[in-house]
Amino acid sequence: MSTEAKVPVSPESSRVVPSEGHAHAVERILSVAYELFSRRGVRDVGVNELIERSGVAKATFYRHFPSKDSLVLAFLEQRDKLWTVEAIVSQARRRGTSPVEHLLAIFDVLEEWFRREDFEGSTFIHVLLEMGPSHPLGQASIDYLAKLRGHVQALAEEAGLLSPDEFARSWQILMKGSIISATGGDLQAAKRAQQMAGWLIEHHRA
Amino acid sequence: MSTEAKVPVSPESSRVVPSEGHAHAVERILSVAYELFSRRGVRDVGVNELIERSGVAKATFYRHFPSKDSLVLAFLEQRDKLWTVEAIVSQARRRGTSPVEHLLAIFDVLEEWFRREDFEGSTFIHVLLEMGPSHPLGQASIDYLAKLRGHVQALAEEAGLLSPDEFARSWQILMKGSIISATGGDLQAAKRAQQMAGWLIEHHRA
DNA sequence: ACAGCGGGAAAGACAGGTCTGTCTCCCCCT
DNA sequence: AGGGGGAGACAGACCTGTCTTTCCCGCTGT
């Protein structure tokens, strides 16, 4: 990933990780950024609000992140780790026993996600549309969406499905479409997508 | 539509409609807004740029549109008319002979649209994510997306399909998903969605 | 037919707020 | 003593929206 060089790892030296209340500045910034960016998008949240909500001086912010965009890149990476990998993929793999069941469980996870009152929509789609596909942040979002597609493709290969790449691309159309529909208020979007996902699996059986 | 009261119809009295070069101010504003909003989104285009590109004074702008948001509402209405109705629905109805063929032709139209070099993504999805579903402009986008779904539902009823409402909601998941995937660079997203759309039709046959 | 008037529109200053990013000053802790 | 961090002023650009000034065109009354 092209972003990891820009994510500053706080030096830490030998210091003990502090308790929640007075975490290191960079951690507080990332935590607040995750919260606000997820909910309202990256364009709607300014640096001034970020530093105020995280109780950090502006100079401190810019000592750790050379620009707001680099913080957004760090946020996207965190989002990939916490949401894509841990929430979606790991959750789906924990449910069901076969690879096909793992795949279908993705939409069960989405279903629950859509019903949370703090459901915020997909960060990667949001940033992609906010910044455009040619902007570095839009490109990074495309990359993370491709990474998520890679997870789906891996599950398809484990299931022995035909044309795993094509399968994963069609699968992702269902995921993206259901997320947009859920943002528009259709709480059953995941169930609808899951039904079509079942047909897609049938047509990719060996 | 709740917006039409905000779209000023220039008084005109008995005057002849002028030629392209020196159209009335409100028409020039709408034309420039359509171009810029479609391409870059409504948040990225400011009033100053709009009036400069349309050769209109700021006071003139605010005489015709009480706020930028009201111009965006007029733009959304225009987008619904020019894109949803005339480009998508009418085009699809012109292709093929049966209602089912009309339905599937929607993705042929999308396919051609994705391949245009000035493909800009879906305005309604873009505004919905930019402003959020609770903002009036986000709500208006949801309404226009529902209107588009109504067109699909009408075609489903003409085709005699079962549960036309459920059908149209699933159908729109495919449309939205393919649009997002096309924005991310997958030019075959329409074809993939069309294949799944075919299965969806089969499962809604009486 | 012609003078004069009213209003649409252009140009742009201005207000008050926001944005990102830089810089200074000082404190406090090690 | 030195550096991380808090507080905040500041610059320069941008945003929406208001207001003033000037021009010009067409309509009306005589």
Side-chain angles (χ1 to χ4, degrees), chain A residues 11 54 68 75 83 103 119-120 126 162 167 180 195:
Chain A
S54 52
K68 183 190 169 185
F75 157 66
W83 186 84
L103 278 167
F119 165 62
E120 348 76 352
H126 197 158
L162 301 174
F167 173 87
I180 300 293
Q195 187 182 38

Side-chain angles (χ1 to χ4, degrees), chain A residues 46-48 58 62 68:
Chain A
V47 173
N48 289 327
K58 197 174 257 198
Y62 279 103
K68 183 190 169 185

